[in-house]
Amino acid sequence: LGYVYHTISQSPPWAWHDAFFPVTRSTKRPKLIDAGLLILSKYPIVEADSHIYNAGNQIDAWAAKQVLYARLEVTPGLFCHVFNTHMQASYFDNHPDINILNDAARHLQLVEMGKFIRRKTAEIPAPALITGDFNVNSRAGGPTATVPVKVWDHPFTLEHVSAAPCSEAVNDEHELDEYRFLVRMLSPCGELRDLLYEATSHHPVTYGDVCDLENPREMVLTHLADYGSRLSIDYIFFADCEANKASGLIEVVPGSTRVEPFFVPEGSVSQTKLTQLSDHYGVST
């Protein structure tokens, strides 16, 4: 396929990691699990970096969850920043008080990621793709939702939101506040375009989809408590820079972004009931 360049997430540091854990207020815990992030590219990767999040809670605190970075040289002297992440999850079978702490940890990860993005894009102005499993739901629920959506409510929001620019693309009355906060925190140039939203005019389900109101679409890899949750938590964002806006050398093909369900053809996997390659749908552009 021509993807001859790659960079992978930083291995877990086999030592006590400086961190903040909302549940215990502890500042030390070892990271034992890899983040599982990968960037493949047809273009040379001229710089690679990563940042392991300090914040984490519950089982996610044991994983080296992070943001992975690559700077691609599309043509000589023309660059594109790429960021990939997997963030703290909240769990439907948790007590609500625990999920508030999980949400707080994810909020702090967004702050960390925003600072990392700004540092990298300030060094060399260029367009940026920001992707991954953010575990931030943008669907506020509706008549077809089978379970309540997670509530995002903790005391750290207003200080950071008021200091961050807001994208005009965030205009859907059904979007949740945490999604709006994500867009504001990760905008390195004042505007962050949600490419999937632009292409579809809504936030499609990427996790916990259903065949109908009573039957989950995927039941092997998806956590039981998440059946029918119908969340939109996987994204491709695009942030342009002034120089590229003027030249137009790197642009997104309008309407090209879509959900990739990665269904397994019936009968192709023997002795299993696997119907998808992942519990999440993919997103491509």
Side-chain angles (χ1 to χ4, degrees):
L1 297 176
Y3 295 95
V4 296
Y5 306 97
H6 77 280
T7 184
I8 61 174
S9 50
Q10 187 179 158
S11 299
W14 296 102
W16 292 93
H17 184 69
D18 290 327
F20 169 73
F21 302 97
V23 170
T24 62
R25 306 293 172 178
S26 168
T27 58
K28 296 287 185 180
R29 185 172 297 186
K31 299 291 187 179
L32 304 177
I33 308 169
D34 182 74
L37 299 176
L38 171 67
I39 296 175
L40 294 172
S41 174
K42 294 181 179 180
Y43 303 107
I45 296 175
V46 295
E47 180 188 0
D49 200 356
S50 63
H51 168 73
I52 296 178
Y53 297 126
N54 291 314
N57 198 45
Q58 287 195 288
I59 191 173
D60 292 46
W62 298 95
K65 290 201 167 182
Q66 61 193 268
V67 51
L68 179 64
Y69 166 73
R71 178 161 57 90
L72 313 183
E73 189 168 31
V74 180
T75 60
L78 181 64
F79 303 102
C80 180
H81 302 289
V82 178
F83 301 87
N84 186 18
T85 192
H86 185 196
M87 288 190 160
Q88 169 80 42
S90 297
Y91 301 94
F92 282 106
D93 49 355
N94 270 342
H95 187 280
D97 290 346
I98 299 299
N99 268 345
I100 287 176
L101 296 172
N102 288 336
D103 296 346
R106 185 169 56 253
H107 161 88
L108 293 172
Q109 290 176 356
L110 284 169
V111 174
E112 291 182 57
M113 185 177 184
K115 291 179 179 179
F116 183 78
I117 289 173
R118 285 176 174 80
R119 177 164 60 85
K120 288 298 179 183
T121 55
E123 293 171 358
I124 299 180
L129 286 171
I130 304 170
T131 72
D133 172 7
F134 291 83
N135 277 308
V136 172
N137 180 35
S138 51
R139 291 171 57 87
T144 59
T146 58
V147 295
V149 296
K150 300 183 181 76
V151 175
W152 185 71
D153 182 20
H154 58 80
F156 305 103
T157 306
L158 295 179
E159 172 189 353
H160 299 290
V161 170
S162 61
C166 181
S167 168
E168 295 180 358
V170 185
N171 55 15
D172 188 336
E173 64 180 359
H174 298 297
E175 288 167 350
L176 295 186
D177 288 340
E178 187 180 13
Y179 171 80
R180 294 173 180 269
F181 176 77
L182 180 159
V183 170
R184 295 178 182 190
M185 283 311 307
L186 303 188
S187 302
C189 306
E191 180 179 357
L192 196 68
R193 294 167 53 191
D194 183 336
L195 299 184
L196 189 56
Y197 181 88
E198 284 187 4
T200 63
S201 299
H202 70 287
H203 295 291
V205 173
T206 64
Y207 177 76
D209 204 1
V210 296
C211 299
D212 52 54
L213 291 181
E214 297 181 355
N215 296 293
R217 184 173 292 278
E218 201 289 315
M219 300 176 64
V220 177
L221 303 173
T222 304
H223 185 48
L224 178 63
D226 295 344
Y227 285 2
S229 53
R230 304 185 73 235
L231 305 179
S232 184
I233 55 180
D234 305 272
Y235 305 96
I236 299 178
F237 296 105
F238 180 74
D240 213 342
C241 68
E242 293 303 321
N244 188 66
K245 286 179 181 179
S247 67
L249 294 176
I250 296 177
E251 60 183 15
V252 177
V253 178
S256 64
T257 309
R258 61 185 182 271
V259 169
E260 300 283 359
F262 297 126
F263 292 137
V264 175
E266 187 174 353
S268 63
V269 181
S270 62
Q271 298 179 337
T272 74
K273 297 181 180 179
L274 197 67
T275 58
Q276 295 174 199
L277 295 179
S278 171
D279 55 341
H280 290 244
Y281 293 157
V283 182
S284 68
T285 192

mmCIF file of all heavy atoms in Angstrom, residues 8-51:
data_model
loop_
_atom_site.group_PDB
_atom_site.id
_atom_site.type_symbol
_atom_site.label_atom_id
_atom_site.label_comp_id
_atom_site.label_asym_id
_atom_site.label_seq_id
_atom_site.Cartn_x
_atom_site.Cartn_y
_atom_site.Cartn_z
ATOM 1 N N ILE A 8 5.630 4.591 16.414
ATOM 2 C CA ILE A 8 4.738 3.916 17.353
ATOM 3 C C ILE A 8 4.775 4.607 18.709
ATOM 4 O O ILE A 8 5.692 5.379 19.002
ATOM 5 C CB ILE A 8 5.110 2.420 17.516
ATOM 6 C CG1 ILE A 8 6.525 2.275 18.074
ATOM 7 C CG2 ILE A 8 4.967 1.690 16.197
ATOM 8 C CD1 ILE A 8 6.908 0.834 18.397
ATOM 9 N N SER A 9 3.776 4.313 19.525
ATOM 10 C CA SER A 9 3.676 4.943 20.838
ATOM 11 C C SER A 9 4.827 4.532 21.735
ATOM 12 O O SER A 9 5.400 3.445 21.607
ATOM 13 C CB SER A 9 2.341 4.602 21.500
ATOM 14 O OG SER A 9 2.093 3.216 21.481
ATOM 15 N N GLN A 10 5.140 5.423 22.647
ATOM 16 C CA GLN A 10 6.228 5.217 23.597
ATOM 17 C C GLN A 10 5.910 4.039 24.513
ATOM 18 O O GLN A 10 4.794 3.908 25.012
ATOM 19 C CB GLN A 10 6.399 6.502 24.409
ATOM 20 C CG GLN A 10 7.601 6.516 25.324
ATOM 21 C CD GLN A 10 7.704 7.838 26.074
ATOM 22 O OE1 GLN A 10 8.335 7.918 27.115
ATOM 23 N NE2 GLN A 10 7.065 8.888 25.559
ATOM 24 N N SER A 11 6.884 3.170 24.737
ATOM 25 C CA SER A 11 6.688 2.015 25.602
ATOM 26 C C SER A 11 6.450 2.465 27.035
ATOM 27 O O SER A 11 6.916 3.536 27.449
ATOM 28 C CB SER A 11 7.903 1.086 25.549
ATOM 29 O OG SER A 11 8.101 0.595 24.242
ATOM 30 N N PRO A 12 5.709 1.634 27.811
ATOM 31 C CA PRO A 12 5.484 2.012 29.212
ATOM 32 C C PRO A 12 6.797 2.165 29.957
ATOM 33 O O PRO A 12 7.688 1.327 29.820
ATOM 34 C CB PRO A 12 4.684 0.831 29.763
ATOM 35 C CG PRO A 12 4.115 0.144 28.574
ATOM 36 C CD PRO A 12 5.089 0.364 27.465
ATOM 37 N N PRO A 13 6.936 3.221 30.733
ATOM 38 C CA PRO A 13 8.138 3.371 31.558
ATOM 39 C C PRO A 13 8.062 2.399 32.734
ATOM 40 O O PRO A 13 7.140 2.469 33.544
ATOM 41 C CB PRO A 13 8.073 4.826 32.026
ATOM 42 C CG PRO A 13 6.630 5.181 31.956
ATOM 43 C CD PRO A 13 6.024 4.354 30.861
ATOM 44 N N TRP A 14 8.986 1.485 32.799
ATOM 45 C CA TRP A 14 8.947 0.461 33.850
ATOM 46 C C TRP A 14 9.498 1.027 35.153
ATOM 47 O O TRP A 14 10.524 0.618 35.664
ATOM 48 C CB TRP A 14 9.721 -0.778 33.414
ATOM 49 C CG TRP A 14 9.081 -1.421 32.237
ATOM 50 C CD1 TRP A 14 9.477 -1.336 30.940
ATOM 51 C CD2 TRP A 14 7.906 -2.221 32.233
ATOM 52 N NE1 TRP A 14 8.632 -2.015 30.122
ATOM 53 C CE2 TRP A 14 7.656 -2.593 30.893
ATOM 54 C CE3 TRP A 14 7.013 -2.669 33.223
ATOM 55 C CZ2 TRP A 14 6.570 -3.377 30.512
ATOM 56 C CZ3 TRP A 14 5.935 -3.458 32.852
ATOM 57 C CH2 TRP A 14 5.723 -3.800 31.525
ATOM 58 N N ALA A 15 8.795 2.023 35.636
ATOM 59 C CA ALA A 15 9.169 2.664 36.892
ATOM 60 C C ALA A 15 7.954 3.412 37.399
ATOM 61 O O ALA A 15 6.953 3.556 36.701
ATOM 62 C CB ALA A 15 10.339 3.633 36.680
ATOM 63 N N TRP A 16 8.024 3.899 38.609
ATOM 64 C CA TRP A 16 6.923 4.677 39.152
ATOM 65 C C TRP A 16 6.842 5.981 38.395
ATOM 66 O O TRP A 16 7.821 6.721 38.283
ATOM 67 C CB TRP A 16 7.121 4.902 40.649
ATOM 68 C CG TRP A 16 6.997 3.632 41.403
ATOM 69 C CD1 TRP A 16 8.003 2.785 41.745
ATOM 70 C CD2 TRP A 16 5.795 3.028 41.874
ATOM 71 N NE1 TRP A 16 7.514 1.682 42.400
ATOM 72 C CE2 TRP A 16 6.158 1.811 42.501
ATOM 73 C CE3 TRP A 16 4.444 3.386 41.838
ATOM 74 C CZ2 TRP A 16 5.217 0.962 43.072
ATOM 75 C CZ3 TRP A 16 3.516 2.549 42.416
ATOM 76 C CH2 TRP A 16 3.903 1.357 43.027
ATOM 77 N N HIS A 17 5.669 6.250 37.857
ATOM 78 C CA HIS A 17 5.483 7.371 36.944
ATOM 79 C C HIS A 17 4.857 8.546 37.692
ATOM 80 O O HIS A 17 3.866 8.378 38.399
ATOM 81 C CB HIS A 17 4.563 6.942 35.799
ATOM 82 C CG HIS A 17 4.363 7.981 34.744
ATOM 83 N ND1 HIS A 17 5.368 8.371 33.893
ATOM 84 C CD2 HIS A 17 3.276 8.714 34.395
ATOM 85 C CE1 HIS A 17 4.908 9.291 33.065
ATOM 86 N NE2 HIS A 17 3.645 9.522 33.350
ATOM 87 N N ASP A 18 5.445 9.740 37.540
ATOM 88 C CA ASP A 18 4.842 10.934 38.130
ATOM 89 C C ASP A 18 3.492 11.175 37.470
ATOM 90 O O ASP A 18 3.401 11.306 36.249
ATOM 91 C CB ASP A 18 5.740 12.149 37.912
ATOM 92 C CG ASP A 18 7.011 12.066 38.750
ATOM 93 O OD1 ASP A 18 6.931 11.520 39.854
ATOM 94 O OD2 ASP A 18 8.051 12.545 38.279
ATOM 95 N N ALA A 19 2.444 11.214 38.259
ATOM 96 C CA ALA A 19 1.108 11.341 37.689
ATOM 97 C C ALA A 19 0.150 11.911 38.720
ATOM 98 O O ALA A 19 0.455 11.999 39.903
ATOM 99 C CB ALA A 19 0.610 9.981 37.194
ATOM 100 N N PHE A 20 -1.037 12.283 38.217
ATOM 101 C CA PHE A 20 -2.101 12.729 39.108
ATOM 102 C C PHE A 20 -3.284 11.794 38.940
ATOM 103 O O PHE A 20 -3.747 11.561 37.818
ATOM 104 C CB PHE A 20 -2.528 14.152 38.765
ATOM 105 C CG PHE A 20 -3.803 14.569 39.466
ATOM 106 C CD1 PHE A 20 -3.793 14.844 40.825
ATOM 107 C CD2 PHE A 20 -4.994 14.651 38.770
ATOM 108 C CE1 PHE A 20 -4.960 15.212 41.470
ATOM 109 C CE2 PHE A 20 -6.162 15.022 39.419
ATOM 110 C CZ PHE A 20 -6.145 15.301 40.769
ATOM 111 N N PHE A 21 -3.771 11.213 40.021
ATOM 112 C CA PHE A 21 -4.889 10.290 39.976
ATOM 113 C C PHE A 21 -6.006 10.849 40.836
ATOM 114 O O PHE A 21 -5.873 10.948 42.055
ATOM 115 C CB PHE A 21 -4.469 8.896 40.473
ATOM 116 C CG PHE A 21 -3.333 8.339 39.669
ATOM 117 C CD1 PHE A 21 -2.027 8.461 40.114
ATOM 118 C CD2 PHE A 21 -3.553 7.734 38.454
ATOM 119 C CE1 PHE A 21 -0.969 7.973 39.366
ATOM 120 C CE2 PHE A 21 -2.503 7.249 37.693
ATOM 121 C CZ PHE A 21 -1.211 7.363 38.154
ATOM 122 N N PRO A 22 -7.117 11.241 40.207
ATOM 123 C CA PRO A 22 -8.170 11.915 40.962
ATOM 124 C C PRO A 22 -8.729 11.103 42.124
ATOM 125 O O PRO A 22 -9.176 11.665 43.114
ATOM 126 C CB PRO A 22 -9.251 12.155 39.898
ATOM 127 C CG PRO A 22 -8.523 12.163 38.605
ATOM 128 C CD PRO A 22 -7.406 11.175 38.780
ATOM 129 N N VAL A 23 -8.747 9.760 42.017
ATOM 130 C CA VAL A 23 -9.366 8.961 43.060
ATOM 131 C C VAL A 23 -8.569 8.999 44.353
ATOM 132 O O VAL A 23 -9.089 9.235 45.437
ATOM 133 C CB VAL A 23 -9.537 7.499 42.593
ATOM 134 C CG1 VAL A 23 -9.945 6.625 43.767
ATOM 135 C CG2 VAL A 23 -10.594 7.423 41.509
ATOM 136 N N THR A 24 -7.263 8.772 44.260
ATOM 137 C CA THR A 24 -6.428 8.635 45.459
ATOM 138 C C THR A 24 -5.618 9.877 45.768
ATOM 139 O O THR A 24 -5.012 9.970 46.838
ATOM 140 C CB THR A 24 -5.451 7.471 45.267
ATOM 141 O OG1 THR A 24 -4.593 7.773 44.162
ATOM 142 C CG2 THR A 24 -6.200 6.175 44.989
ATOM 143 N N ARG A 25 -5.572 10.828 44.792
ATOM 144 C CA ARG A 25 -4.680 11.989 44.899
ATOM 145 C C ARG A 25 -3.219 11.556 44.967
ATOM 146 O O ARG A 25 -2.358 12.315 45.374
ATOM 147 C CB ARG A 25 -5.023 12.854 46.122
ATOM 148 C CG ARG A 25 -6.475 13.277 46.166
ATOM 149 C CD ARG A 25 -6.797 14.241 45.034
ATOM 150 N NE ARG A 25 -8.233 14.500 44.974
ATOM 151 C CZ ARG A 25 -8.795 15.342 44.106
ATOM 152 N NH1 ARG A 25 -8.048 15.958 43.232
ATOM 153 N NH2 ARG A 25 -10.093 15.517 44.092
ATOM 154 N N SER A 26 -2.964 10.319 44.598
ATOM 155 C CA SER A 26 -1.595 9.807 44.598
ATOM 156 C C SER A 26 -0.814 10.451 43.460
ATOM 157 O O SER A 26 -1.383 10.872 42.456
ATOM 158 C CB SER A 26 -1.606 8.286 44.410
ATOM 159 O OG SER A 26 -0.312 7.811 44.133
ATOM 160 N N THR A 27 0.493 10.518 43.601
ATOM 161 C CA THR A 27 1.328 11.075 42.535
ATOM 162 C C THR A 27 2.285 10.051 41.944
ATOM 163 O O THR A 27 3.129 10.394 41.132
ATOM 164 C CB THR A 27 2.153 12.261 43.064
ATOM 165 O OG1 THR A 27 2.960 11.814 44.159
ATOM 166 C CG2 THR A 27 1.242 13.375 43.516
ATOM 167 N N LYS A 28 2.155 8.779 42.338
ATOM 168 C CA LYS A 28 3.059 7.763 41.824
ATOM 169 C C LYS A 28 2.278 6.497 41.474
ATOM 170 O O LYS A 28 1.487 6.002 42.275
ATOM 171 C CB LYS A 28 4.135 7.403 42.864
ATOM 172 C CG LYS A 28 5.077 8.543 43.238
ATOM 173 C CD LYS A 28 6.063 8.853 42.115
ATOM 174 C CE LYS A 28 7.059 9.906 42.536
ATOM 175 N NZ LYS A 28 8.028 10.232 41.490
ATOM 176 N N ARG A 29 2.504 5.970 40.272
ATOM 177 C CA ARG A 29 1.942 4.684 39.887
ATOM 178 C C ARG A 29 2.686 4.186 38.648
ATOM 179 O O ARG A 29 2.956 4.964 37.740
ATOM 180 C CB ARG A 29 0.446 4.795 39.595
ATOM 181 C CG ARG A 29 -0.213 3.448 39.295
ATOM 182 C CD ARG A 29 -1.717 3.565 39.211
ATOM 183 N NE ARG A 29 -2.313 3.975 40.467
ATOM 184 C CZ ARG A 29 -3.633 4.042 40.663
ATOM 185 N NH1 ARG A 29 -4.459 3.747 39.687
ATOM 186 N NH2 ARG A 29 -4.099 4.420 41.826
ATOM 187 N N PRO A 30 2.994 2.901 38.559
ATOM 188 C CA PRO A 30 3.723 2.414 37.387
ATOM 189 C C PRO A 30 2.799 2.296 36.179
ATOM 190 O O PRO A 30 1.610 2.025 36.321
ATOM 191 C CB PRO A 30 4.221 1.039 37.834
ATOM 192 C CG PRO A 30 3.217 0.588 38.841
ATOM 193 C CD PRO A 30 2.782 1.840 39.554
ATOM 194 N N LYS A 31 3.353 2.501 34.996
ATOM 195 C CA LYS A 31 2.640 2.278 33.746
ATOM 196 C C LYS A 31 3.031 0.905 33.227
ATOM 197 O O LYS A 31 4.212 0.637 32.991
ATOM 198 C CB LYS A 31 2.995 3.354 32.721
ATOM 199 C CG LYS A 31 2.645 4.775 33.142
ATOM 200 C CD LYS A 31 1.153 5.000 33.175
ATOM 201 C CE LYS A 31 0.827 6.461 33.425
ATOM 202 N NZ LYS A 31 -0.626 6.721 33.449
ATOM 203 N N LEU A 32 2.040 0.031 33.037
ATOM 204 C CA LEU A 32 2.326 -1.358 32.703
ATOM 205 C C LEU A 32 1.831 -1.759 31.319
ATOM 206 O O LEU A 32 2.204 -2.812 30.813
ATOM 207 C CB LEU A 32 1.689 -2.290 33.746
ATOM 208 C CG LEU A 32 2.091 -2.038 35.207
ATOM 209 C CD1 LEU A 32 1.320 -2.981 36.121
ATOM 210 C CD2 LEU A 32 3.591 -2.200 35.387
ATOM 211 N N ILE A 33 0.963 -0.944 30.701
ATOM 212 C CA ILE A 33 0.312 -1.321 29.452
ATOM 213 C C ILE A 33 0.639 -0.283 28.384
ATOM 214 O O ILE A 33 0.597 0.918 28.637
ATOM 215 C CB ILE A 33 -1.218 -1.419 29.625
ATOM 216 C CG1 ILE A 33 -1.580 -2.323 30.801
ATOM 217 C CG2 ILE A 33 -1.888 -1.924 28.340
ATOM 218 C CD1 ILE A 33 -3.034 -2.264 31.190
ATOM 219 N N ASP A 34 0.939 -0.756 27.177
ATOM 220 C CA ASP A 34 1.243 0.137 26.063
ATOM 221 C C ASP A 34 -0.016 0.840 25.573
ATOM 222 O O ASP A 34 -1.127 0.330 25.716
ATOM 223 C CB ASP A 34 1.865 -0.660 24.917
ATOM 224 C CG ASP A 34 2.252 0.220 23.756
ATOM 225 O OD1 ASP A 34 3.252 0.951 23.870
ATOM 226 O OD2 ASP A 34 1.548 0.190 22.737
ATOM 227 N N ALA A 35 0.149 2.011 24.956
ATOM 228 C CA ALA A 35 -1.001 2.767 24.442
ATOM 229 C C ALA A 35 -1.532 2.193 23.140
ATOM 230 O O ALA A 35 -2.667 2.477 22.749
ATOM 231 C CB ALA A 35 -0.610 4.230 24.245
ATOM 232 N N GLY A 36 -0.727 1.435 22.409
ATOM 233 C CA GLY A 36 -1.184 0.810 21.169
ATOM 234 C C GLY A 36 -1.406 1.780 20.022
ATOM 235 O O GLY A 36 -2.258 1.553 19.163
ATOM 236 N N LEU A 37 -0.637 2.854 19.971
ATOM 237 C CA LEU A 37 -0.807 3.853 18.916
ATOM 238 C C LEU A 37 0.215 3.646 17.805
ATOM 239 O O LEU A 37 1.358 3.253 18.048
ATOM 240 C CB LEU A 37 -0.647 5.265 19.489
ATOM 241 C CG LEU A 37 -1.645 5.678 20.561
ATOM 242 C CD1 LEU A 37 -1.294 7.060 21.090
ATOM 243 C CD2 LEU A 37 -3.063 5.653 20.028
ATOM 244 N N LEU A 38 -0.198 3.959 16.580
ATOM 245 C CA LEU A 38 0.649 3.779 15.405
ATOM 246 C C LEU A 38 0.297 4.838 14.375
ATOM 247 O O LEU A 38 -0.881 5.137 14.157
ATOM 248 C CB LEU A 38 0.430 2.384 14.815
ATOM 249 C CG LEU A 38 1.058 2.072 13.449
ATOM 250 C CD1 LEU A 38 2.572 2.050 13.527
ATOM 251 C CD2 LEU A 38 0.512 0.751 12.908
ATOM 252 N N ILE A 39 1.311 5.424 13.760
ATOM 253 C CA ILE A 39 1.132 6.298 12.609
ATOM 254 C C ILE A 39 1.889 5.696 11.441
ATOM 255 O O ILE A 39 3.108 5.478 11.526
ATOM 256 C CB ILE A 39 1.633 7.735 12.883
ATOM 257 C CG1 ILE A 39 0.795 8.400 13.987
ATOM 258 C CG2 ILE A 39 1.572 8.576 11.609
ATOM 259 C CD1 ILE A 39 1.305 9.776 14.394
ATOM 260 N N LEU A 40 1.174 5.390 10.368
ATOM 261 C CA LEU A 40 1.778 4.912 9.123
ATOM 262 C C LEU A 40 1.691 6.022 8.082
ATOM 263 O O LEU A 40 0.686 6.737 8.009
ATOM 264 C CB LEU A 40 1.036 3.679 8.603
ATOM 265 C CG LEU A 40 1.121 2.401 9.446
ATOM 266 C CD1 LEU A 40 0.179 1.341 8.886
ATOM 267 C CD2 LEU A 40 2.548 1.878 9.483
ATOM 268 N N SER A 41 2.725 6.153 7.251
ATOM 269 C CA SER A 41 2.745 7.249 6.293
ATOM 270 C C SER A 41 3.410 6.842 4.985
ATOM 271 O O SER A 41 4.362 6.056 4.970
ATOM 272 C CB SER A 41 3.491 8.451 6.887
ATOM 273 O OG SER A 41 3.651 9.481 5.937
ATOM 274 N N LYS A 42 2.875 7.396 3.903
ATOM 275 C CA LYS A 42 3.534 7.268 2.604
ATOM 276 C C LYS A 42 4.621 8.330 2.427
ATOM 277 O O LYS A 42 5.434 8.229 1.517
ATOM 278 C CB LYS A 42 2.507 7.408 1.478
ATOM 279 C CG LYS A 42 1.477 6.287 1.429
ATOM 280 C CD LYS A 42 0.504 6.477 0.266
ATOM 281 C CE LYS A 42 -0.505 5.346 0.204
ATOM 282 N NZ LYS A 42 -1.452 5.509 -0.927
ATOM 283 N N TYR A 43 4.574 9.340 3.305
ATOM 284 C CA TYR A 43 5.536 10.441 3.225
ATOM 285 C C TYR A 43 6.578 10.296 4.326
ATOM 286 O O TYR A 43 6.290 9.753 5.401
ATOM 287 C CB TYR A 43 4.810 11.776 3.373
ATOM 288 C CG TYR A 43 3.717 11.989 2.357
ATOM 289 C CD1 TYR A 43 2.383 11.920 2.729
ATOM 290 C CD2 TYR A 43 4.014 12.250 1.017
ATOM 291 C CE1 TYR A 43 1.359 12.108 1.800
ATOM 292 C CE2 TYR A 43 3.011 12.441 0.090
ATOM 293 C CZ TYR A 43 1.688 12.366 0.484
ATOM 294 O OH TYR A 43 0.687 12.549 -0.441
ATOM 295 N N PRO A 44 7.790 10.780 4.095
ATOM 296 C CA PRO A 44 8.835 10.664 5.124
ATOM 297 C C PRO A 44 8.427 11.331 6.430
ATOM 298 O O PRO A 44 7.847 12.423 6.433
ATOM 299 C CB PRO A 44 10.032 11.384 4.480
ATOM 300 C CG PRO A 44 9.778 11.309 3.014
ATOM 301 C CD PRO A 44 8.292 11.387 2.846
ATOM 302 N N ILE A 45 8.709 10.650 7.533
ATOM 303 C CA ILE A 45 8.505 11.213 8.868
ATOM 304 C C ILE A 45 9.828 11.849 9.286
ATOM 305 O O ILE A 45 10.808 11.159 9.545
ATOM 306 C CB ILE A 45 8.064 10.136 9.873
ATOM 307 C CG1 ILE A 45 6.694 9.575 9.465
ATOM 308 C CG2 ILE A 45 8.008 10.698 11.291
ATOM 309 C CD1 ILE A 45 6.212 8.423 10.333
ATOM 310 N N VAL A 46 9.845 13.177 9.336
ATOM 311 C CA VAL A 46 11.091 13.882 9.621
ATOM 312 C C VAL A 46 11.235 14.205 11.106
ATOM 313 O O VAL A 46 12.309 14.607 11.548
ATOM 314 C CB VAL A 46 11.196 15.171 8.773
ATOM 315 C CG1 VAL A 46 11.285 14.815 7.298
ATOM 316 C CG2 VAL A 46 10.018 16.100 9.035
ATOM 317 N N GLU A 47 10.156 14.045 11.860
ATOM 318 C CA GLU A 47 10.220 14.221 13.306
ATOM 319 C C GLU A 47 9.137 13.363 13.941
ATOM 320 O O GLU A 47 8.018 13.284 13.435
ATOM 321 C CB GLU A 47 10.014 15.686 13.708
ATOM 322 C CG GLU A 47 10.079 15.907 15.213
ATOM 323 C CD GLU A 47 9.697 17.323 15.641
ATOM 324 O OE1 GLU A 47 9.371 18.139 14.755
ATOM 325 O OE2 GLU A 47 9.710 17.593 16.854
ATOM 326 N N ALA A 48 9.467 12.700 15.036
ATOM 327 C CA ALA A 48 8.488 11.901 15.779
ATOM 328 C C ALA A 48 8.652 12.182 17.266
ATOM 329 O O ALA A 48 9.767 12.373 17.754
ATOM 330 C CB ALA A 48 8.675 10.413 15.494
ATOM 331 N N ASP A 49 7.551 12.199 17.970
ATOM 332 C CA ASP A 49 7.586 12.494 19.399
ATOM 333 C C ASP A 49 6.318 11.933 20.032
ATOM 334 O O ASP A 49 5.398 11.480 19.333
ATOM 335 C CB ASP A 49 7.673 14.011 19.623
ATOM 336 C CG ASP A 49 8.192 14.383 21.011
ATOM 337 O OD1 ASP A 49 8.412 13.468 21.833
ATOM 338 O OD2 ASP A 49 8.352 15.593 21.270
ATOM 339 N N SER A 50 6.243 11.958 21.342
ATOM 340 C CA SER A 50 5.033 11.535 22.048
ATOM 341 C C SER A 50 5.037 12.157 23.433
ATOM 342 O O SER A 50 6.065 12.606 23.934
ATOM 343 C CB SER A 50 4.953 10.005 22.155
ATOM 344 O OG SER A 50 6.035 9.499 22.916
ATOM 345 N N HIS A 51 3.869 12.158 24.029
ATOM 346 C CA HIS A 51 3.726 12.645 25.410
ATOM 347 C C HIS A 51 2.801 11.695 26.150
ATOM 348 O O HIS A 51 1.645 11.522 25.773
ATOM 349 C CB HIS A 51 3.146 14.064 25.428
ATOM 350 C CG HIS A 51 2.715 14.507 26.795
ATOM 351 N ND1 HIS A 51 3.630 14.836 27.786
ATOM 352 C CD2 HIS A 51 1.477 14.648 27.354
ATOM 353 C CE1 HIS A 51 2.965 15.173 28.880
ATOM 354 N NE2 HIS A 51 1.663 15.063 28.653
#
